[in-house]
Amino acid sequence: MTNHSETTGSSENGDIPGPVKPGRTARTRYDGPGDEHQVTLRTPAELADALPYLLGYRPEDSIVLVALRDRDGRGRFGGRARLGIPANADDWTGAAGQLVHGLVTGSERRGVRPEQMVAYLCQEPARGETGREVMERLRPLAQKLRVECGALDVPVVEALCISAGRFWSYCCDEEACCPAEGVPMGLPGTSVLAAAATYAGIQVRGSLSELRARLLPRENAAALEQEAALDAAAVTVVSRILDDAGRSEVAEETLDLARRAMRRLTDAPPVSGVPAEDLRDDQLLGHDEAAALILGLQDRTTRDRAAEWMEGDEAGPALRLWRALARRCVRSYGEHAAAPLTLAGWVAWSAGDELEAREALAMALGADPDYLFARLLHQACNEGLDPESVRRCLRAERGGRGGGGRDAADGGEQGDGPAQRRPAEPSSAPQVPPGRRRRTRPVVPADGARRRARAQGREPGGRIGRPRTPAGGERPGGARTARTRPRASGAEATGRKETCVEGVSAGEHATEGGEERA
């Protein structure tokens, strides 16, 4: 489970007249293309059925808040926010506060403060546990959500627990409508709301675990071969990236290889079903190819140039390639997935798929919590910003090199990342914000041995290799051996540049433990 928040912008797909009373009638107008439909939500059962259509997927192990606001005397569904349910109950208070404050403040920034909330707790029973036991176990969490909302003068008008195909209301104790044994959920797609959503062209994409499966490493028999290919490529690629002249050559080789792989994916015959599509793409990418691409993308400038394939005919094959590379970051190379996962999230966001974008970016932060590009994009996506501001930066960079498919080499100059570009005065050495100590990073030989040396400093514009540590979040793995991965230094390490995404600043939220990574 990825324990992160997802906050979407306000939705214009519902009206609820007057205050909503628990277990009572709630009216929702659902706007379809070209027409206006009105769907009436009369019971908690219909609110429970509405959840997948409000999010666009079926949440698992999740706290979900849906804001309600008044408009012309009628309530409307507003922003939505989701957070994974912490396994430790001691963390529930913090999680509830994080989610409530995030949704309320995010809505206020968009000028639509929530006036009421509907809360959902979704979790399947553990072995030997019943759905009702899940409901009772999560009751304190529901109460914490109500307290946090109440502290901000936003009352929770309904709180539901969904588990084992049933739902329970924490706000209604009427046996006729909310019995103690729970109420069975209807079959997916059979409600009036489901029919209206289908007519309007809105799809429910299954569960988050199914989406994450497309981005997780393949821990199968081929993983050993892929790890061996990564080990072999690291011997030469990392040392070349650490050299200014070699870095430019590796960048061109990586981008050319990526273009060839994208053409191959474009020409591949179509297959039916998501698992079959991913298997086809995996078979079209060799172990050595994948290793060279994964290691090449660890260079920030190369990654930024690859991020320019975010629209038009390039976006589809680029997204497929980044997914396939994320699946190849196996075993001890889990942290290397931050680059392809961030690229996948960026292309998905640029193409309008905020759900996959948020998941891919959250998984990138699970692989490397200090990956600055992912952190900025994740924040911007969650705040509902327009990706066009980032696209403009990337188009300008591409145009500055003359455009076209084969970009000019960048030489030894270090440009800022696409989420950080802004004209800045030249500096001959990294600038560290006042009061922050610059931390050195350990350097590991490119042969992947366990020997570690301490870096004594950084040359401007250089790349510093450091050992890979076990990734957190959703990327499983056993004991990790030391790996190298090139890192940018210079002004990027300060975290002081502003992002091209309007309103997000690296200096505001991009620092953890005094060290930042891109």
Side-chain angles (χ1 to χ4, degrees):
M1 177 185 68
T2 303
N3 191 15
H4 66 282
S5 65
E6 301 159 351
T7 306
T8 66
S10 59
S11 171
E12 299 299 330
N13 65 350
D15 286 299
I16 302 179
V20 181
K21 297 181 179 180
R24 298 296 184 265
T25 301
R27 292 179 173 272
T28 299
R29 186 174 65 198
Y30 188 92
D31 298 329
D35 299 303
E36 197 170 80
H37 305 280
Q38 181 165 305
V39 178
T40 302
L41 303 182
R42 294 186 173 88
T43 65
E46 290 171 339
L47 278 174
D49 181 74
L51 179 58
Y53 301 98
L54 293 173
L55 296 179
Y57 61 92
R58 302 187 185 280
E60 302 170 311
D61 289 331
S62 299
I63 312 166
V64 180
L65 288 180
V66 179
L68 305 176
R69 59 187 178 85
D70 180 75
R71 182 173 176 181
D72 300 327
R74 299 173 68 86
R76 295 185 71 87
F77 287 123
R80 303 90 156 100
R82 188 201 73 90
L83 188 70
I85 298 176
N88 190 338
D90 293 339
D91 297 328
W92 288 356
T93 299
Q98 174 187 345
L99 193 62
V100 172
H101 285 75
L103 179 55
V104 172
T105 56
S107 298
E108 287 176 337
R109 280 195 295 269
R110 291 186 287 271
V112 282
R113 190 179 195 276
E115 297 177 355
Q116 298 171 329
M117 290 281 191
V118 177
Y120 299 85
L121 299 178
C122 307
Q123 190 173 77
E124 289 304 299
R127 184 182 297 275
E129 191 177 30
T130 66
R132 181 174 180 179
E133 289 170 340
V134 172
M135 182 271 294
E136 292 294 349
R137 176 168 53 79
L138 297 179
R139 186 182 292 275
L141 176 55
Q143 181 60 22
K144 292 179 187 299
L145 290 169
R146 298 174 73 177
V147 169
E148 292 288 344
C149 288
L152 296 178
D153 295 323
V154 184
V156 174
V157 296
E158 183 61 278
L160 301 174
C161 177
I162 300 175
S163 181
R166 292 176 174 265
F167 77 88
W168 290 260
S169 171
Y170 291 113
C171 298
C172 177
D173 56 3
E174 295 184 13
E175 185 69 19
C177 116
C178 299
E181 66 274 13
V183 179
M185 298 284 292
L187 292 175
T190 60
S191 67
V192 175
L193 181 59
T198 301
Y199 185 82
I202 293 180
Q203 298 179 346
V204 175
R205 298 179 55 183
S207 67
L208 290 181
S209 61
E210 293 170 345
L211 179 57
R212 294 181 191 125
R214 307 194 71 182
L215 302 168
L216 286 171
R218 296 292 192 246
E219 299 296 344
N220 51 24
L224 288 173
E225 298 177 13
Q226 182 63 69
E227 185 179 36
L230 285 161
D231 283 340
V235 172
T236 56
V237 172
V238 172
S239 59
R240 292 177 65 198
I241 291 178
L242 291 172
D243 175 75
D244 282 343
R247 176 171 52 82
S248 179
E249 295 174 358
V250 171
E252 291 305 316
E253 293 169 6
T254 301
L255 294 170
D256 285 344
L257 183 58
R259 293 186 193 99
R260 293 197 299 273
M262 287 166 58
R263 285 195 294 270
R264 198 180 314 143
L265 294 174
T266 301
D267 296 339
V271 295
S272 179
V274 169
E277 290 175 357
D278 291 343
L279 179 60
R280 173 203 57 198
D281 293 349
D282 288 340
Q283 292 173 341
L284 291 171
L285 195 63
H287 293 311
D288 293 338
E289 249 184 336
L293 287 168
I294 290 168
L295 292 167
L297 290 172
Q298 305 309 306
D299 175 73
R300 177 174 54 82
T301 303
T302 307
R303 177 209 67 196
D304 292 352
R305 291 172 62 183
E308 295 168 5
W309 302 326
M310 77 292 187
E311 56 189 347
D313 294 338
E314 293 174 330
L319 179 57
R320 289 166 59 188
L321 177 60
W322 308 144
R323 287 187 193 128
L325 292 179
R327 295 192 293 266
R328 297 299 187 94
C329 294
V330 297
R331 301 170 68 85
S332 56
Y333 286 88
E335 198 174 347
H336 285 67
L341 284 171
T342 301
L343 289 170
W346 158 237
V347 176
W349 185 34
S350 177
D353 189 346
E354 292 187 3
L355 174 58
E356 180 166 1
R358 286 194 299 270
E359 281 305 305
L361 293 170
M363 291 174 68
L365 293 174
D368 186 346
D370 296 319
Y371 204 72
L372 186 56
F373 189 21
R375 294 170 70 182
L376 292 172
L377 291 176
H378 190 242
Q379 179 185 349
C381 184
N382 281 343
E383 291 184 353
L385 301 183
D386 188 348
E388 178 58 23
S389 57
V390 186
R391 286 194 292 258
R392 283 196 297 267
C393 292
L394 292 171
R395 293 189 199 108
E397 288 293 321
R398 193 172 193 174
R401 292 192 302 272
R406 293 185 176 276
D407 308 323
D410 288 336
E413 182 180 353
Q414 288 296 310
D416 295 329
Q420 306 165 47
R421 291 189 171 89
R422 183 182 181 181
E425 297 180 1
S427 172
S428 61
Q431 301 298 314
V432 179
R436 181 184 302 167
R437 292 185 304 171
R438 184 170 62 211
R439 296 169 56 185
T440 58
R441 299 179 184 176
V443 179
V444 179
D447 60 2
R450 296 179 179 271
R451 301 186 307 275
R452 299 185 180 183
R454 300 300 297 176
Q456 299 301 319
R458 298 177 185 168
E459 293 297 327
R463 289 291 191 269
I464 302 297
R466 64 180 185 81
R468 312 308 297 161
T469 56
E474 283 293 315
R475 308 199 65 82
R480 308 287 178 93
T481 57
R483 304 292 174 193
T484 55
R485 175 177 168 186
R487 286 296 186 188
S489 62
E492 181 185 20
T494 69
R496 302 178 66 181
K497 286 186 167 47
E498 291 184 2
T499 173
C500 285
V501 183
E502 298 170 0
V504 181
S505 171
E508 293 176 2
H509 301 291
T511 303
E512 284 186 14
E515 179 180 359
E516 294 162 354
R517 306 172 192 167

